[in-house]
Amino acid sequence: MSLNLPFPHRHLLGIAPLTAPEILFLLDEAERWVALNRAAAVKHDDSLAGLTQINAFFENSTRTLLSFEIAGKRLGADVVNMAVAQSSVKKGETLIDTAVTLDAMHADMLVIRHQASGAVQLIADKVDCPVLNAGDGQHEHPTQALLDALTIRRRKGRIERLVIAICGDIMHSRVARSDIISLQKLGAHVRIVGPSTLIPPHIEALGVEIFHDLDKAIAGADVVMMLRLQTERMAGGFIPSLREYHALFGLTVEKLKLAAEDVLVMHPGPLNRGVEIDSAVADDLKYSAITEQVEMGVAMRMACLDVLTRQRRGVKGWA
Ligand code: NCD
């Protein structure tokens, strides 16, 4: 693929391989789908008509799976969701055999979520079509980072120089990793905060400022992003109790007063209300962008599917 293209990548496996202009290109592309998604009735475009999109989610999902499905359908693709629970994966088929099988069906786009970090890359190496990472283990969740950046840019008008606090279970969060990488590339100042057991070692190498006190981390912040405790990835005692965690790291109306007056509150979902975030904060539309993040997710995924298939569709300038 020509390096002169605004997005010269075959796959979307993570934010780390992308440059700031490439990220901004995808955000700009998503902007034009936001209006289509808000149309009162028909929300359809035929760009991907005749193309087959397979969503293979080896891990649970509500938002990401539905939004990739809606995104593909709004662009006219034939979208198939592989039912992993009823698939041969349960009969011991290897990931590579599954990938080769999907490829033999001539999929034009594969959207993969997997519990193992690196699994999506493994699949991408074996197939012919573009692969989109919908979350691999604790590694990356690039479309979430893109939709978060889109939401912030729309609400704040910019990302450069914003102080963004990412709070909670940083250790197990691919969202945190992808967000940190993308927001820093776009010029934000990123703070992370959580109990020391939930801060990954060497994270300072990414250039973030580390806090263990929520009050200090959110003081003056323009954006406060809360994360769920990913207990399904915890084998052992990372926190003494949920009650104590909420007391120290839960976002309450009181604590939010420490942030900038026009602070934006974000959360990738699913929320554990009363643990990392109180309902009074999550549901206050003056601050909370949580449902807007979901809305932007569809536009962002439409942009990614469109851009990644331009070469195979022979779009002028891309083929
Ligand atoms: C996240 C995920 O699966 O990584 N959710 C999402 O995609 N919106 C975060 C989480 O599960 O807490």
Side-chain angles (χ1 to χ4, degrees):
M1 211 177 256
S2 157
L3 286 174
N4 294 325
L5 292 173
F7 194 82
H9 303 273
R10 231 164 80 76
H11 306 291
L12 179 64
L13 301 178
I15 296 293
L18 309 185
T19 62
E22 288 163 5
I23 297 172
L24 293 171
F25 170 73
L26 291 178
L27 301 190
D28 292 344
E29 286 289 320
E31 287 288 356
R32 63 196 188 95
W33 300 119
V34 175
L36 178 85
N37 287 337
R38 286 182 176 171
V42 179
K43 303 171 191 58
H44 208 266
D45 178 282
D46 284 333
S47 303
L48 303 190
L51 266 58
T52 304
Q53 172 186 337
I54 301 182
N55 299 327
F57 279 53
F58 298 83
E59 236 190 21
N60 294 348
S61 173
T62 303
R63 277 153 271 263
T64 309
L65 175 58
L66 270 178
S67 103
F68 264 115
E69 182 172 358
I70 292 171
K73 287 185 169 159
R74 291 214 173 132
L75 291 174
D78 298 316
V79 184
V80 183
N81 292 327
M82 176 176 151
V84 172
Q86 286 111 44
S87 74
S88 294
V89 173
K90 299 286 168 200
K91 300 181 185 170
E93 182 170 74
T94 68
L95 189 59
I96 291 186
D97 283 338
T98 305
V100 170
T101 303
L102 298 180
D103 201 37
M105 293 181 191
H106 300 294
D108 297 292
M109 303 153 263
L110 286 178
V111 182
I112 316 275
R113 167 170 285 195
H114 199 280
Q115 60 279 6
S117 306
V120 182
Q121 170 85 58
L122 198 71
I123 292 178
D125 291 342
K126 295 282 165 206
V127 300
D128 259 346
C129 69
V131 173
L132 293 93
N133 182 1
D136 65 324
Q138 296 164 215
H139 176 226
E140 281 236 40
H141 191 351
T143 56
Q144 180 72 43
L146 291 167
L147 75 89
D148 286 342
L150 182 64
T151 306
I152 296 170
R153 195 176 72 166
R154 288 174 62 93
R155 287 282 284 253
K156 294 274 173 205
R158 67 182 161 96
I159 292 173
E160 306 97 304
R161 299 182 311 283
L162 290 181
V163 174
I164 301 180
I166 304 181
C167 315
D169 184 359
I170 311 288
M171 170 91 99
H172 300 100
S173 177
R174 53 199 175 206
V175 174
R177 237 184 102 73
S178 292
D179 268 322
I180 290 169
I181 300 170
S182 113
L183 294 169
Q184 301 223 118
K185 285 189 185 205
L186 299 177
H189 178 84
V190 180
R191 299 174 177 171
I192 59 164
V193 54
S196 50
T197 47
L198 294 177
I199 302 286
H202 312 303
I203 186 88
E204 64 281 358
L206 291 178
V208 293
E209 205 181 342
I210 303 171
F211 293 80
H212 298 294
D213 176 330
L214 185 66
D215 292 6
K216 289 190 179 134
I218 63 180
D222 300 297
V223 177
V224 174
M225 194 183 288
M226 303 308 296
L227 300 170
R228 183 177 68 90
L229 280 175
Q230 307 213 354
T231 45
E232 73 277 19
R233 297 191 208 284
M234 295 181 195
F238 284 85
I239 53 160
S241 74
L242 289 182
R243 202 142 75 134
E244 184 180 305
Y245 183 82
H246 176 261
L248 293 174
F249 295 102
L251 188 61
T252 60
V253 172
E254 268 313 299
K255 288 201 184 272
L256 193 61
K257 289 183 184 149
L258 299 167
E261 215 176 310
D262 59 348
V263 64
L264 198 62
V265 174
M266 301 175 72
H267 192 307
L271 274 66
N272 281 161
R273 290 170 179 268
V275 181
E276 73 272 5
I277 190 165
D278 278 4
S279 288
V281 179
D283 300 335
D284 185 340
L285 295 181
K286 182 161 178 260
Y287 305 106
S288 173
I290 297 172
T291 50
E292 203 172 318
Q293 286 172 272
V294 178
E295 183 192 7
M296 291 307 131
V298 178
M300 202 58 245
R301 287 166 179 129
M302 289 170 82
C304 294
L305 293 168
D306 167 31
V307 168
L308 285 169
T309 54
R310 283 187 188 172
Q311 196 187 30
R312 63 174 46 214
R313 286 186 284 126
V315 172
K316 200 162 164 269
W318 290 75

